[in-house]
Amino acid sequence: MVDIAEEGAPTLHRLRRELARGTAELAVLSILSSGRRYGYELLKLLQTAGAGVLEIKEGTLYPLLHRLEDAGLIASSWEVEGGRGRPRKYYSITDHGRGHLALLRAEWSELVEAMRALLDTLDGVHR
Amino acid sequence: MVDIAEEGAPTLHRLRRELARGTAELAVLSILSSGRRYGYELLKLLQTAGAGVLEIKEGTLYPLLHRLEDAGLIASSWEVEGGRGRPRKYYSITDHGRGHLALLRAEWSELVEAMRALLDTLDGVHR
DNA sequence: CCAGATACTTGGTACGACAAGGTATATGAC
DNA sequence: GTCATATACCTTGTCGTACCAAGTATCTGG
């Protein structure tokens, strides 16, 4: 009872996955560049920001955070707020991370510009 | 003998790879929407267009073309031009492919817009 | 005749995104 | 009292795509 022939909606999901690949790193570093946040907070932020386009799942975020920390781009510290339950792991961007973010942003700009040029040309916008 | 500390250049390559992922499909379909092309031609077009940002390798393009054809988004036909050597396999976009392209372009726009909003906000552009 | 451009193909590997599952604490519903 | 829900973090296995490397085949120029 699987929707093998039935399409349209499920495909869109796959599109987003592949198109948005690598975007998570840029998004997370960007947010952290404005201040420290904990994982769950990032999760919720990305869900609401950008109408869900930038949303990433737990199974994506936590491994990503660990990768970024291992690479020295971000740093973490556990914090147990008195009276609260589960302790939170706060992340903040490092200097190295800021440098990397600049690179990423430049790469992203180039990509967007290249795609824009390609699509516009074919559109006949210059017509 | 690995470049653990030594970095900067090789990383950039990986960055681009991940960021541009899924872009190939959009780029190829876009080009094909303006007329039929053969594989090698697409390869060269993508190398020159967009300052190499959209460049993909043979090992990426040909499997991609096969996937798109299997999905019914494009159609192919071999053509042996008299006097020429190696026959060429020309690809053209199908109606189904045009529909898919519209979806992809919409997805791409949403993603770009969401990232723009995120980056602008954090930039303090809004003061 | 062999190197290099043209032109398409395929097998193996790397890596990120995700689904699914697990741990743990607090709160409000029943 | 316990059950669902929200908060909060983590891990394992699977999948899809990009790439490297190598192979096939034709034509051109040194």
Side-chain angles (χ1 to χ4, degrees):
Chain A
M1 207 64 65
V2 194
D3 48 344
I4 297 175
E6 247 288 19
E7 280 171 60
T11 320
L12 206 65
H13 188 224
R14 213 200 74 247
L15 286 190
R16 183 163 296 176
R17 262 216 281 270
E18 292 304 326
L19 263 189
R21 195 170 170 122
T23 305
E25 191 174 325
L26 173 54
V28 165
L29 281 177
S30 292
I31 294 177
L32 289 183
S33 78
S34 74
R36 28 187 273 124
R37 310 272 186 177
Y38 55 96
Y40 198 76
E41 195 182 3
L42 286 167
L43 223 44
K44 297 303 167 188
L45 272 173
L46 290 171
Q47 264 172 31
T48 53
V53 192
L54 297 178
E55 179 183 352
I56 57 178
K57 301 304 167 58
E58 290 184 290
T60 302
L61 179 65
Y62 291 114
L64 169 61
L65 288 172
H66 301 329
R67 279 201 306 276
L68 294 177
E69 188 170 18
D70 288 346
L73 303 176
I74 62 179
S76 69
S77 67
W78 283 99
E79 239 141 283
V80 188
E81 272 140 275
R84 291 206 79 275
R86 201 82 173 67
R88 291 162 171 173
K89 197 173 184 180
Y90 277 87
Y91 290 93
S92 48
I93 196 167
T94 63
D95 285 346
H96 188 187
R98 285 190 195 279
H100 184 76
L101 174 58
L103 266 180
L104 257 181
R105 290 186 64 151
E107 280 295 322
W108 176 250
S109 293
E110 272 184 55
L111 178 60
V112 169
E113 178 49 34
M115 272 302 317
R116 198 198 55 69
L118 180 66
L119 296 178
D120 278 7
T121 308
L122 300 171
D123 248 358
V125 165
H126 294 304
R127 182 80 315 268
Chain B
M1 204 65 69
V2 195
D3 49 341
I4 298 175
E6 245 287 21
E7 279 171 61
T11 321
L12 206 66
H13 188 224
R14 214 202 73 247
L15 285 193
R16 183 165 295 181
R17 264 212 283 267
E18 291 303 326
L19 268 186
R21 193 163 173 128
T23 305
E25 193 174 323
L26 173 55
V28 165
L29 280 178
S30 291
I31 294 176
L32 289 183
S33 77
S34 75
R36 28 189 273 125
R37 311 270 186 180
Y38 55 97
Y40 199 78
E41 195 181 5
L42 286 168
L43 222 46
K44 297 303 168 189
L45 272 174
L46 289 172
Q47 264 173 30
T48 53
V53 191
L54 298 178
E55 179 182 352
I56 56 178
K57 303 302 167 57
E58 290 182 291
T60 302
L61 178 65
Y62 290 113
L64 169 61
L65 288 171
H66 298 331
R67 280 201 305 276
L68 294 177
E69 187 170 20
D70 288 345
L73 302 176
I74 61 178
S76 68
S77 66
W78 282 100
E79 239 140 282
V80 188
E81 272 139 276
R84 292 203 82 274
R86 200 80 174 69
R88 291 163 170 173
K89 198 173 182 179
Y90 276 88
Y91 290 93
S92 49
I93 196 168
T94 63
D95 286 344
H96 188 187
R98 286 189 195 279
H100 185 76
L101 174 56
L103 268 179
L104 257 183
R105 292 186 64 152
E107 280 292 321
W108 176 250
S109 293
E110 274 183 54
L111 179 60
V112 170
E113 178 50 32
M115 273 302 316
R116 197 197 54 68
L118 180 66
L119 296 178
D120 279 7
T121 308
L122 300 172
D123 248 357
V125 165
H126 294 303
R127 184 73 321 263

